[in-house]
Amino acid sequence: MKKNINCPCGNNLQIEYEEDVDLDKNPESLESMLNGTFMSYDCPNCMKKHKPEYKIMVSWKSKNVKFEILPELDRGEFYRRKKENLPYQTIIGFPEMADRLAIIKDGLEPVIIEALKSFLLAKADENYPDREINAWYYGNGPEGIEFHLDGIRADEVAVMRIPLNVYEKTMGDYKKHPKNELFSSLRVRSYLSVQNALRPDALK
Ligand SMILES: [Zn+2]
């Protein structure tokens, strides 16, 4: 697909991107999605960085997943859609795409990671009720699963770790009660995300 981007400097960037990305065939796409350079374009005139979001399909057959990635701007429209049964999962926004792919790459269960984010964000909301705070998966190791929270202070992330035994315990709860209030609140049709539990009433 070809698109034009109008740069504020007056320059017009013509870009071309794949609407269907197969991560098994294009490991370099996976790498660029994980490191945030996917669909990033510098204006050759003023060097401004453009990171447009368009709807794309991402398949990763070796991990048994297929996603439609919607632009963040389509979030409201997604919640207004009629009920549907899609043969793939939905992700909204490229940052969430990078987050989900990293979770899958590290062999973790996305629903459990979104549940852990909801624990962290509930705590953050008690301490900073007026801020819009996001939690992102960062990695995992012997000290636990690391998350970065942004929105508490400008240009800073807060590093939070959750011990692996909490992950295991939450996994146990999920296996016993996959449709309890917590896990149900993380899903809207094809879309799994802590954003579903946090969305304002206007999007319900
Ligand atoms: Zn420019």
Side-chain angles (χ1 to χ4, degrees):
M1 176 77 91
K2 289 184 178 165
K3 294 271 184 188
N4 283 309
I5 301 174
N6 292 314
C7 188
C9 75
N11 194 27
N12 187 278
L13 281 75
Q14 290 181 331
I15 63 158
E16 194 166 359
Y17 67 95
E18 295 287 335
E19 289 163 278
D20 281 282
V21 183
D22 180 331
L23 296 182
D24 291 312
K25 290 191 184 131
N26 301 287
E28 68 285 354
S29 293
L30 173 62
E31 201 46 49
S32 69
M33 286 170 179
L34 291 172
N35 68 25
T37 56
F38 180 73
M39 288 183 71
S40 177
Y41 308 93
D42 292 328
C43 171
N45 185 42
C46 71
M47 299 314 290
K48 179 181 162 62
K49 195 175 280 300
H50 294 266
K51 298 188 74 142
E53 291 187 342
Y54 303 110
K55 178 181 168 171
I56 56 170
M57 299 299 300
V58 173
S59 55
W60 200 358
K61 285 199 193 78
S62 62
K63 302 284 187 189
N64 208 16
V65 286
K66 183 167 185 177
F67 297 106
E68 66 166 348
I69 316 292
L70 301 179
E72 185 60 44
L73 288 171
D74 289 354
R75 181 176 293 276
E77 199 228 299
F78 171 81
Y79 287 118
R80 287 191 296 273
R81 273 190 201 172
K82 296 266 187 291
K83 275 192 191 292
E84 59 199 353
N85 262 327
L86 298 173
Y88 42 75
Q89 302 171 53
T90 300
I91 290 177
I92 305 181
F94 285 7
E96 194 173 74
M97 169 179 74
D99 187 275
R100 184 65 47 86
L101 296 177
I103 291 164
I104 293 169
K105 179 170 173 272
D106 289 351
L108 296 167
E109 172 54 51
V111 67
I112 307 303
I113 298 295
E114 297 303 304
L116 298 182
K117 287 180 189 173
S118 76
F119 301 159
L120 291 174
L121 291 171
K123 192 93 197 129
D125 190 54
E126 279 176 23
N127 295 328
Y128 307 97
D130 302 324
R131 314 273 162 85
E132 197 167 298
I133 299 168
N134 281 304
W136 304 98
Y137 171 74
Y138 188 76
N140 78 101
E143 289 175 9
I145 302 179
E146 187 172 325
F147 293 87
H148 286 186
L149 273 65
D150 64 32
I152 296 175
R153 288 194 190 82
D155 303 324
E156 254 181 59
V157 295
V159 176
M160 309 283 245
R161 286 191 187 85
I162 292 192
L164 288 174
N165 62 356
V166 176
Y167 176 89
E168 296 299 344
K169 185 190 172 302
T170 310
M171 180 70 99
D173 292 346
Y174 180 62
K175 286 190 173 149
K176 267 182 257 159
H177 307 288
K179 294 199 169 160
N180 75 9
E181 193 182 345
L182 166 66
F183 300 118
S184 299
S185 73
L186 300 171
R187 287 187 199 277
V188 173
R189 306 194 308 274
S190 57
Y191 181 39
L192 164 72
S193 170
V194 70
Q195 297 298 328
N196 289 325
L198 300 174
R199 74 203 139 116
D201 288 342
L203 293 178
K204 283 180 183 165

